[in-house]
Amino acid sequence: MSELARSTPGYISHKGYLAEDGERVTIVEFENEEGLRAWRTNPEHLAAQKLGRQTYYAEYHLQVCTLTRESKFRGRRGVRAAQG
């Protein structure tokens, strides 16, 4: 699915995270609604979702979000984090 997501028009990035309790989250980012729609309706992606529901997941939760504001910080190289 990673390669399929990357090949979708409007794809920006995706990242997956696993919590200590086993919960997983994957964040897939697209430039626009058209990219998201292409990903959502891709036949291979739809087949993978179906397989996931049949085989792996007892439940899942899906959210589609619009970025309202973004803030970033990039520290200087060589600066160590405060130890405490």
Coordinates of all heavy atoms in Angstrom, one line a residue:
M1 N 0.8 -1.2 0.0 CA 0.0 0.0 0.0 C 0.9 1.3 0.0 O 0.4 2.3 -0.5 CB -0.9 0.0 1.2 CG -2.1 -0.9 1.1 SD -3.3 -0.6 -0.2 CE -2.7 -1.7 -1.5
S2 N 2.1 1.2 0.6 CA 2.9 2.4 0.6 C 3.2 2.8 -0.8 O 3.1 4.0 -1.1 CB 4.2 2.1 1.4 OG 3.9 1.8 2.7
E3 N 3.6 1.9 -1.7 CA 4.0 2.3 -3.0 C 2.8 2.8 -3.8 O 2.8 3.8 -4.5 CB 4.6 1.1 -3.8 CG 5.2 1.5 -5.1 CD 6.2 2.7 -5.0 OE1 7.0 2.7 -4.1 OE2 6.1 3.6 -5.9
L4 N 1.6 2.2 -3.5 CA 0.4 2.6 -4.2 C 0.0 4.1 -3.7 O -0.3 4.9 -4.5 CB -0.8 1.7 -3.8 CG -2.1 2.0 -4.5 CD1 -2.0 1.9 -6.0 CD2 -3.1 1.0 -4.0
A5 N 0.2 4.3 -2.4 CA -0.1 5.7 -1.9 C 0.8 6.7 -2.6 O 0.4 7.7 -3.0 CB 0.0 5.7 -0.4
R6 N 2.1 6.3 -2.6 CA 3.1 7.2 -3.2 C 2.8 7.6 -4.7 O 3.1 8.6 -5.2 CB 4.5 6.6 -3.2 CG 5.1 6.7 -1.8 CD 6.6 6.2 -1.9 NE 7.1 6.0 -0.5 CZ 7.1 4.8 0.1 NH1 6.6 3.7 -0.5 NH2 7.5 4.7 1.3
S7 N 2.2 6.6 -5.4 CA 1.9 6.8 -6.8 C 0.6 7.5 -7.1 O 0.3 7.8 -8.2 CB 1.9 5.5 -7.6 OG 0.8 4.7 -7.1
T8 N -0.1 7.9 -6.0 CA -1.4 8.5 -6.2 C -1.2 10.0 -6.4 O -0.4 10.7 -5.7 CB -2.3 8.4 -4.9 OG1 -2.5 7.0 -4.7 CG2 -3.6 9.0 -5.1
P9 N -1.8 10.6 -7.5 CA -1.6 12.1 -7.7 C -2.0 12.9 -6.5 O -3.0 12.6 -5.8 CB -2.6 12.3 -8.9 CG -2.8 11.0 -9.5 CD -2.7 10.0 -8.4
G10 N -1.2 13.9 -6.2 CA -1.4 14.7 -5.0 C -0.9 14.2 -3.7 O -0.9 14.9 -2.7
Y11 N -0.2 13.0 -3.7 CA 0.4 12.4 -2.5 C 1.5 13.3 -2.0 O 2.3 13.8 -2.7 CB 0.9 11.0 -2.9 CG 1.8 10.5 -1.8 CD1 1.2 9.7 -0.7 CD2 3.2 10.6 -1.8 CE1 2.0 9.2 0.3 CE2 4.0 10.1 -0.8 CZ 3.4 9.4 0.2 OH 4.2 8.9 1.2
I12 N 1.5 13.5 -0.7 CA 2.6 14.3 0.0 C 3.4 13.3 0.8 O 4.6 13.3 0.6 CB 2.0 15.4 0.8 CG1 1.3 16.5 -0.1 CG2 3.2 16.1 1.6 CD1 0.6 17.6 0.7
S13 N 2.8 12.6 1.7 CA 3.5 11.7 2.6 C 2.6 10.8 3.4 O 1.4 11.0 3.4 CB 4.3 12.5 3.7 OG 3.4 13.2 4.6
H14 N 3.2 9.8 4.0 CA 2.4 9.0 4.9 C 3.4 8.4 6.0 O 4.6 8.2 5.7 CB 1.7 7.8 4.2 CG 2.6 6.7 3.8 ND1 3.3 6.8 2.6 CD2 2.9 5.5 4.3 CE1 4.0 5.7 2.4 NE2 3.7 4.9 3.5
K15 N 2.8 8.3 7.2 CA 3.6 7.8 8.3 C 2.7 6.9 9.2 O 1.5 7.1 9.3 CB 4.1 8.9 9.2 CG 5.1 9.8 8.5 CD 5.5 11.0 9.4 CE 6.4 11.9 8.6 NZ 6.7 13.1 9.4
G16 N 3.3 5.8 9.7 CA 2.5 4.9 10.6 C 3.1 4.9 12.0 O 4.3 5.1 12.1
Y17 N 2.3 4.8 12.9 CA 2.7 4.8 14.3 C 2.0 3.6 15.0 O 0.9 3.2 14.7 CB 2.3 6.1 15.0 CG 2.9 7.3 14.4 CD1 2.2 8.0 13.4 CD2 4.1 7.7 14.7 CE1 2.7 9.1 12.8 CE2 4.7 8.9 14.1 CZ 4.0 9.5 13.2 OH 4.5 10.6 12.6
L18 N 2.7 3.0 16.0 CA 2.2 1.9 16.8 C 2.3 2.2 18.3 O 3.4 2.5 18.8 CB 3.0 0.6 16.5 CG 2.7 -0.6 17.3 CD1 1.2 -1.0 17.0 CD2 3.6 -1.8 16.9
A19 N 1.2 2.2 19.0 CA 1.2 2.5 20.4 C 1.6 1.2 21.2 O 1.5 0.1 20.7 CB -0.2 3.0 20.8
E20 N 2.0 1.4 22.4 CA 2.4 0.3 23.3 C 1.3 -0.7 23.5 O 1.5 -1.9 23.7 CB 2.8 0.8 24.7 CG 4.1 1.6 24.6 CD 4.5 2.1 26.0 OE1 3.9 1.7 27.0 OE2 5.5 2.9 26.0
D21 N 0.0 -0.3 23.4 CA -1.1 -1.2 23.6 C -1.5 -1.9 22.3 O -2.5 -2.6 22.3 CB -2.3 -0.4 24.2 CG -2.9 0.6 23.2 OD1 -2.4 0.8 22.1 OD2 -3.9 1.3 23.7
G22 N -0.8 -1.7 21.2 CA -1.0 -2.3 20.0 C -1.9 -1.5 19.0 O -2.0 -1.9 17.8
E23 N -2.4 -0.4 19.4 CA -3.2 0.4 18.5 C -2.3 1.0 17.5 O -1.2 1.4 17.8 CB -3.9 1.6 19.3 CG -4.8 2.4 18.4 CD -5.5 3.5 19.2 OE1 -5.2 3.7 20.4 OE2 -6.4 4.1 18.6
R24 N -2.8 1.1 16.2 CA -2.0 1.6 15.1 C -2.7 2.8 14.5 O -3.9 2.9 14.5 CB -1.8 0.6 14.0 CG -1.0 -0.6 14.4 CD -1.1 -1.7 13.3 NE -0.3 -2.8 13.6 CZ 0.9 -3.0 13.2 NH1 1.5 -2.2 12.4 NH2 1.5 -4.1 13.6
V25 N -1.9 3.7 14.0 CA -2.5 4.8 13.2 C -1.6 5.1 12.0 O -0.3 5.0 12.1 CB -2.6 6.1 14.1 CG1 -1.3 6.6 14.6 CG2 -3.4 7.2 13.3
T26 N -2.2 5.4 10.9 CA -1.4 5.8 9.7 C -2.0 7.1 9.2 O -3.2 7.2 9.1 CB -1.6 4.7 8.6 OG1 -1.1 3.4 9.1 CG2 -0.8 5.1 7.4
I27 N -1.1 8.0 9.0 CA -1.5 9.3 8.5 C -1.0 9.5 7.1 O 0.2 9.3 6.8 CB -0.9 10.5 9.4 CG1 -1.4 10.3 10.8 CG2 -1.2 11.8 8.8 CD1 -0.7 11.2 11.8
V28 N -2.0 9.7 6.2 CA -1.7 9.8 4.7 C -2.1 11.2 4.4 O -3.2 11.7 4.6 CB -2.4 8.8 3.9 CG1 -2.0 8.9 2.4 CG2 -2.2 7.4 4.4
E29 N -1.1 12.0 3.8 CA -1.4 13.4 3.5 C -1.4 13.6 2.0 O -0.5 13.1 1.2 CB -0.3 14.2 4.1 CG -0.4 15.7 4.0 CD 0.7 16.5 4.7 OE1 1.7 15.9 5.1 OE2 0.5 17.7 4.8
F30 N -2.4 14.3 1.5 CA -2.5 14.7 0.1 C -2.6 16.2 -0.1 O -3.0 16.9 0.8 CB -3.8 14.0 -0.5 CG -3.7 12.6 -0.6 CD1 -4.2 11.8 0.4 CD2 -3.1 11.9 -1.7 CE1 -4.1 10.4 0.3 CE2 -3.0 10.6 -1.8 CZ -3.5 9.8 -0.7
E31 N -2.2 16.7 -1.3 CA -2.2 18.1 -1.5 C -3.7 18.7 -1.6 O -3.9 19.9 -1.3 CB -1.6 18.4 -2.9 CG -0.1 18.2 -2.9 CD 0.5 18.4 -4.3 OE1 -0.2 18.8 -5.2 OE2 1.7 18.2 -4.4
N32 N -4.6 17.8 -2.0 CA -5.9 18.4 -2.3 C -7.0 17.2 -2.2 O -6.6 16.1 -2.0 CB -6.0 19.0 -3.7 CG -5.4 18.1 -4.7 OD1 -5.7 16.9 -4.8 ND2 -4.6 18.6 -5.6
E33 N -8.2 17.6 -2.3 CA -9.4 16.7 -2.2 C -9.3 15.7 -3.3 O -9.7 14.5 -3.1 CB -10.7 17.5 -2.2 CG -11.9 16.7 -2.0 CD -12.0 16.1 -0.6 OE1 -11.5 16.7 0.4 OE2 -12.7 15.0 -0.4
E34 N -8.9 16.1 -4.5 CA -8.8 15.2 -5.6 C -7.9 14.0 -5.4 O -8.2 12.9 -5.7 CB -8.4 15.9 -6.9 CG -9.4 16.9 -7.4 CD -9.4 18.2 -6.7 OE1 -8.4 18.6 -6.0 OE2 -10.5 18.9 -6.7
G35 N -6.7 14.3 -4.8 CA -5.8 13.2 -4.4 C -6.4 12.3 -3.4 O -6.2 11.1 -3.5
L36 N -7.0 12.8 -2.4 CA -7.7 12.0 -1.4 C -8.8 11.1 -2.0 O -8.9 9.9 -1.7 CB -8.3 12.9 -0.3 CG -9.1 12.2 0.8 CD1 -8.2 11.2 1.5 CD2 -9.7 13.2 1.7
R37 N -9.5 11.7 -2.9 CA -10.6 10.9 -3.6 C -10.0 9.8 -4.4 O -10.5 8.7 -4.4 CB -11.4 11.9 -4.5 CG -12.7 11.2 -5.1 CD -13.5 12.1 -5.9 NE -13.9 13.3 -5.1 CZ -13.4 14.6 -5.4 NH1 -12.6 14.8 -6.3 NH2 -13.8 15.6 -4.6
A38 N -8.9 10.1 -5.1 CA -8.2 9.1 -5.9 C -7.7 7.9 -5.1 O -7.8 6.7 -5.4 CB -7.0 9.7 -6.7
W39 N -7.2 8.2 -3.9 CA -6.7 7.2 -2.9 C -7.9 6.4 -2.4 O -7.9 5.2 -2.3 CB -6.0 7.9 -1.8 CG -5.6 7.0 -0.7 CD1 -6.0 7.1 0.6 CD2 -4.7 5.9 -0.7 NE1 -5.4 6.1 1.4 CE2 -4.6 5.4 0.6 CE3 -3.9 5.3 -1.8 CZ2 -3.8 4.3 0.9 CZ3 -3.2 4.2 -1.4 CH2 -3.1 3.7 -0.1
R40 N -8.9 7.1 -2.0 CA -10.1 6.5 -1.4 C -10.8 5.5 -2.4 O -11.4 4.5 -2.0 CB -11.1 7.6 -1.0 CG -12.3 7.0 -0.2 CD -13.2 8.1 0.2 NE -13.9 8.6 -0.9 CZ -14.1 9.9 -1.3 NH1 -13.6 10.8 -0.5 NH2 -14.8 10.2 -2.3
T41 N -10.8 5.8 -3.7 CA -11.5 5.0 -4.7 C -10.6 4.1 -5.5 O -11.1 3.4 -6.3 CB -12.3 5.9 -5.6 OG1 -11.4 6.8 -6.3 CG2 -13.3 6.8 -4.9
N42 N -9.3 4.0 -5.2 CA -8.4 3.1 -5.9 C -8.8 1.7 -5.7 O -9.0 1.3 -4.5 CB -7.0 3.4 -5.4 CG -6.0 2.5 -6.1 OD1 -6.0 1.3 -5.9 ND2 -5.3 3.1 -7.0
P43 N -9.0 0.9 -6.7 CA -9.5 -0.5 -6.6 C -8.6 -1.4 -5.7 O -9.0 -2.2 -4.9 CB -9.5 -1.0 -8.0 CG -9.7 0.2 -8.8 CD -9.0 1.3 -8.1
E44 N -7.2 -1.2 -5.8 CA -6.3 -2.0 -5.0 C -6.5 -1.6 -3.5 O -6.4 -2.4 -2.6 CB -4.9 -1.8 -5.4 CG -4.5 -2.4 -6.7 CD -3.1 -2.2 -7.1 OE1 -2.2 -2.8 -6.4 OE2 -2.8 -1.4 -8.0
H45 N -6.6 -0.3 -3.2 CA -6.8 0.2 -1.9 C -8.1 -0.3 -1.3 O -8.2 -0.8 -0.2 CB -6.8 1.7 -1.9 CG -6.8 2.3 -0.5 ND1 -7.5 3.4 -0.2 CD2 -6.3 1.9 0.7 CE1 -7.4 3.7 1.1 NE2 -6.7 2.8 1.6
L46 N -9.2 -0.3 -2.1 CA -10.5 -0.8 -1.7 C -10.4 -2.3 -1.3 O -11.0 -2.8 -0.3 CB -11.6 -0.6 -2.7 CG -12.0 0.9 -2.9 CD1 -12.8 1.0 -4.2 CD2 -12.6 1.5 -1.7
A47 N -9.7 -3.1 -2.2 CA -9.5 -4.5 -1.9 C -8.7 -4.7 -0.6 O -9.1 -5.6 0.2 CB -8.8 -5.2 -3.1
A48 N -7.7 -3.9 -0.4 CA -6.9 -4.1 0.9 C -7.8 -3.7 2.1 O -7.7 -4.4 3.1 CB -5.7 -3.2 0.8
Q49 N -8.6 -2.7 2.0 CA -9.6 -2.4 3.1 C -10.5 -3.5 3.4 O -10.7 -3.8 4.5 CB -10.4 -1.1 2.7 CG -9.5 0.2 2.7 CD -10.4 1.3 2.3 OE1 -11.2 1.3 1.3 NE2 -10.2 2.5 2.9
K50 N -11.0 -4.1 2.3 CA -12.0 -5.2 2.5 C -11.3 -6.4 3.2 O -11.8 -7.0 4.1 CB -12.5 -5.7 1.2 CG -13.5 -6.8 1.2 CD -14.1 -7.1 -0.1 CE -15.1 -8.3 0.0 NZ -15.7 -8.6 -1.3
L51 N -10.0 -6.7 2.8 CA -9.3 -7.8 3.4 C -9.0 -7.5 4.9 O -9.1 -8.3 5.7 CB -7.9 -8.0 2.6 CG -7.0 -9.1 3.2 CD1 -7.7 -10.4 3.1 CD2 -5.7 -9.0 2.5
G52 N -8.7 -6.2 5.1 CA -8.4 -5.8 6.5 C -9.6 -6.0 7.4 O -9.5 -6.5 8.5
R53 N -10.8 -5.7 6.9 CA -12.0 -5.8 7.7 C -12.4 -7.3 7.9 O -12.8 -7.7 8.9 CB -13.2 -5.2 7.0 CG -13.2 -3.6 7.1 CD -14.5 -3.0 6.6 NE -14.7 -3.3 5.2 CZ -14.3 -2.5 4.2 NH1 -13.6 -1.4 4.4 NH2 -14.6 -2.8 2.9
Q54 N -12.1 -8.1 6.9 CA -12.4 -9.6 7.0 C -11.4 -10.3 7.8 O -11.7 -11.3 8.5 CB -12.4 -10.2 5.6 CG -13.6 -9.7 4.7 CD -13.5 -10.2 3.3 OE1 -12.4 -10.6 2.8 NE2 -14.6 -10.2 2.6
T55 N -10.1 -9.9 7.8 CA -9.1 -10.7 8.4 C -8.4 -10.1 9.6 O -8.1 -10.9 10.5 CB -8.0 -10.9 7.3 OG1 -8.6 -11.4 6.1 CG2 -6.9 -11.9 7.8
Y56 N -8.2 -8.8 9.7 CA -7.4 -8.2 10.7 C -8.1 -7.4 11.7 O -7.7 -7.4 12.9 CB -6.3 -7.4 10.1 CG -5.4 -8.1 9.1 CD1 -5.5 -8.0 7.7 CD2 -4.5 -9.1 9.6 CE1 -4.7 -8.7 6.9 CE2 -3.7 -9.8 8.7 CZ -3.8 -9.6 7.3 OH -3.0 -10.3 6.5
Y57 N -9.1 -6.6 11.4 CA -9.6 -5.6 12.3 C -11.0 -6.0 12.8 O -11.9 -6.4 12.1 CB -9.8 -4.3 11.5 CG -8.5 -3.8 11.0 CD1 -8.3 -3.6 9.6 CD2 -7.4 -3.5 11.8 CE1 -7.1 -3.2 9.1 CE2 -6.2 -3.0 11.3 CZ -6.1 -2.9 9.9 OH -4.9 -2.4 9.4
A58 N -11.1 -5.9 14.1 CA -12.4 -6.0 14.8 C -13.2 -4.7 14.6 O -14.4 -4.7 14.6 CB -12.3 -6.4 16.2
E59 N -12.4 -3.6 14.6 CA -13.0 -2.3 14.4 C -11.9 -1.4 13.9 O -10.7 -1.6 14.1 CB -13.6 -1.8 15.7 CG -12.6 -1.6 16.8 CD -13.2 -1.1 18.1 OE1 -13.6 0.1 18.1 OE2 -13.3 -1.9 19.1
Y60 N -12.3 -0.2 13.4 CA -11.4 0.8 13.1 C -12.1 2.1 13.0 O -13.4 2.2 13.0 CB -10.6 0.6 11.7 CG -11.5 0.6 10.5 CD1 -11.8 1.8 9.8 CD2 -11.9 -0.6 10.0 CE1 -12.5 1.7 8.7 CE2 -12.7 -0.6 8.8 CZ -13.0 0.5 8.2 OH -13.8 0.5 7.0
H61 N -11.4 3.2 13.1 CA -11.9 4.6 13.1 C -11.2 5.4 12.1 O -9.9 5.3 12.0 CB -11.7 5.1 14.5 CG -12.2 6.5 14.7 ND1 -13.4 6.8 15.3 CD2 -11.6 7.7 14.5 CE1 -13.5 8.1 15.4 NE2 -12.5 8.7 14.9
L62 N -11.9 6.1 11.2 CA -11.3 6.8 10.1 C -11.7 8.3 10.3 O -12.8 8.6 10.6 CB -11.8 6.3 8.8 CG -11.4 7.1 7.6 CD1 -10.0 6.8 7.2 CD2 -12.3 6.7 6.4
Q63 N -10.7 9.2 10.2 CA -11.0 10.6 10.2 C -10.3 11.2 9.0 O -9.2 10.9 8.6 CB -10.3 11.3 11.4 CG -11.0 10.8 12.7 CD -10.3 11.5 13.9 OE1 -9.1 11.6 14.0 NE2 -11.2 12.0 14.8
V64 N -11.0 12.2 8.3 CA -10.5 13.0 7.2 C -10.5 14.4 7.7 O -11.5 14.9 8.2 CB -11.4 12.8 6.0 CG1 -10.8 13.7 4.9 CG2 -11.4 11.4 5.5
C65 N -9.3 15.0 7.7 CA -9.1 16.3 8.4 C -8.6 17.3 7.4 O -7.9 17.0 6.4 CB -8.2 16.2 9.5 SG -8.7 14.9 10.7
T66 N -8.9 18.6 7.6 CA -8.4 19.7 6.9 C -7.4 20.5 7.8 O -7.8 20.8 8.9 CB -9.5 20.6 6.4 OG1 -10.4 19.8 5.5 CG2 -8.9 21.7 5.5
L67 N -6.2 20.7 7.3 CA -5.3 21.5 8.1 C -5.7 22.9 8.2 O -5.9 23.6 7.2 CB -3.9 21.4 7.5 CG -2.8 22.1 8.2 CD1 -2.5 21.5 9.5 CD2 -1.5 22.1 7.3
T68 N -5.9 23.4 9.5 CA -6.3 24.8 9.7 C -5.1 25.7 10.0 O -5.0 26.8 9.5 CB -7.2 24.8 10.9 OG1 -8.3 24.0 10.7 CG2 -7.7 26.2 11.2
R69 N -4.1 25.1 10.7 CA -2.9 25.9 11.0 C -1.8 24.9 11.2 O -2.0 23.8 11.7 CB -3.2 26.7 12.3 CG -2.0 27.6 12.7 CD -2.4 28.5 13.8 NE -2.6 27.8 15.1 CZ -1.6 27.7 16.0 NH1 -0.4 28.1 15.7 NH2 -1.8 27.1 17.1
E70 N -0.6 25.4 10.9 CA 0.6 24.5 11.1 C 1.7 25.4 11.7 O 1.9 26.5 11.3 CB 1.0 23.9 9.8 CG 2.2 23.0 9.9 CD 2.5 22.3 8.6 OE1 2.2 22.9 7.5 OE2 3.0 21.2 8.6
S71 N 2.5 24.8 12.6 CA 3.6 25.5 13.2 C 4.8 24.5 13.2 O 4.6 23.3 13.5 CB 3.2 25.9 14.6 OG 4.4 26.5 15.2
K72 N 6.0 24.9 12.9 CA 7.1 24.0 12.9 C 8.3 24.7 13.6 O 8.4 26.0 13.6 CB 7.6 23.7 11.5 CG 6.6 22.9 10.7 CD 7.1 22.5 9.3 CE 6.1 21.6 8.6 NZ 6.6 21.2 7.3
F73 N 9.2 23.9 14.1 CA 10.4 24.4 14.7 C 11.5 23.5 14.3 O 11.4 22.3 14.3 CB 10.3 24.4 16.3 CG 11.7 24.7 16.9 CD1 12.2 26.0 17.0 CD2 12.4 23.7 17.4 CE1 13.4 26.2 17.6 CE2 13.7 23.9 18.0 CZ 14.1 25.2 18.1
R74 N 12.6 24.1 13.9 CA 13.8 23.3 13.5 C 15.0 23.9 14.2 O 15.4 25.0 13.9 CB 14.0 23.3 12.0 CG 15.1 22.4 11.6 CD 15.1 22.2 10.1 NE 13.8 21.7 9.7 CZ 13.5 21.1 8.6 NH1 14.4 20.9 7.8 NH2 12.3 20.8 8.4
G75 N 15.5 23.2 15.2 CA 16.7 23.7 16.0 C 18.0 23.7 15.2 O 18.0 23.1 14.1
R76 N 18.9 24.3 15.7 CA 20.3 24.3 15.1 C 20.9 23.0 15.3 O 20.8 22.3 16.3 CB 21.1 25.4 15.7 CG 20.6 26.8 15.5 CD 21.6 27.8 16.0 NE 22.0 27.3 17.4 CZ 22.3 28.1 18.4 NH1 22.1 29.4 18.3 NH2 22.7 27.7 19.5
R77 N 21.7 22.6 14.4 CA 22.5 21.3 14.5 C 23.5 21.5 15.6 O 24.1 22.5 15.7 CB 23.2 21.0 13.2 CG 22.2 20.5 12.1 CD 22.9 20.1 10.9 NE 22.0 19.6 9.9 CZ 21.9 18.3 9.5 NH1 22.8 17.5 10.0 NH2 21.0 17.9 8.7
G78 N 23.7 20.4 16.3 CA 24.8 20.5 17.4 C 24.3 21.0 18.7 O 25.0 20.9 19.7
V79 N 23.1 21.5 18.8 CA 22.5 22.0 20.0 C 21.9 20.8 20.7 O 21.0 20.1 20.2 CB 21.5 23.1 19.8 CG1 20.9 23.5 21.1 CG2 22.1 24.3 19.1
R80 N 22.3 20.5 21.9 CA 21.7 19.4 22.7 C 20.5 19.8 23.5 O 20.4 20.9 23.9 CB 22.8 18.9 23.7 CG 23.9 18.2 23.0 CD 24.8 17.6 24.0 NE 25.9 17.0 23.3 CZ 26.7 16.1 23.9 NH1 26.4 15.7 25.1 NH2 27.7 15.5 23.2
A81 N 19.6 18.9 23.6 CA 18.3 19.1 24.4 C 18.7 19.2 25.8 O 19.7 18.5 26.3 CB 17.4 18.0 24.1
A82 N 18.0 20.0 26.6 CA 18.3 20.2 28.0 C 18.0 18.8 28.7 O 17.0 18.1 28.4 CB 17.4 21.3 28.6
Q83 N 18.9 18.4 29.6 CA 18.7 17.2 30.3 C 18.2 17.5 31.7 O 18.6 18.5 32.3 CB 20.0 16.5 30.4 CG 20.6 16.0 29.1 CD 21.8 15.1 29.2 OE1 22.1 14.7 30.3 NE2 22.5 15.0 28.1
G84 N 17.2 16.8 32.2 CA 16.6 17.1 33.4 C 16.1 15.9 34.2 O 16.0 14.9 34.2

